[in-house]
Amino acid sequence: MSNIKKVNCPRCNKEVFTVVRSLTGAESARSKYQGICNQCITPEENKEMMSEQAKAIINYGGGSHSPAGRW
Ligand SMILES: [Zn+2]
């Protein structure tokens, strides 16, 4: 189940639809570039957002419930 939110791109003012997902940790990276359309986001910004999301997914998926490394 996903939540579609309509926002205006802060750079070109175009209406864009963004999917609001409850993905723990990735929200800060997403909100930083929220609403910026694909035409306006630079490759560097896109890369940063992707890597922040990847980090958040790794932190969320691994760690706490993994017993590996303890013994
Ligand atoms: Zn734009």
Side-chain angles (χ1 to χ4, degrees):
M1 196 168 142
S2 57
N3 216 338
I4 310 286
K5 198 169 118 184
K6 193 173 79 174
V7 295
N8 285 85
C9 174
R11 296 183 185 180
C12 69
N13 213 34
K14 191 178 99 173
E15 281 188 351
V16 288
F17 291 92
T18 178
V19 181
V20 181
R21 278 177 290 184
S22 53
L23 188 60
T24 311
E27 291 307 311
S28 60
R30 283 185 67 80
S31 62
K32 198 165 153 190
Y33 301 118
Q34 188 157 43
I36 301 175
C37 70
N38 291 335
Q39 280 79 48
C40 292
I41 198 155
T42 67
E44 287 79 19
E45 288 168 340
N46 197 36
K47 207 172 122 186
E48 191 190 330
M49 189 169 66
M50 296 300 248
S51 73
E52 296 232 354
Q53 278 189 48
K55 260 190 286 175
I57 290 163
I58 289 162
N59 290 339
Y60 183 66
S64 61
H65 57 80
S66 172
R70 173 77 197 198
W71 300 100

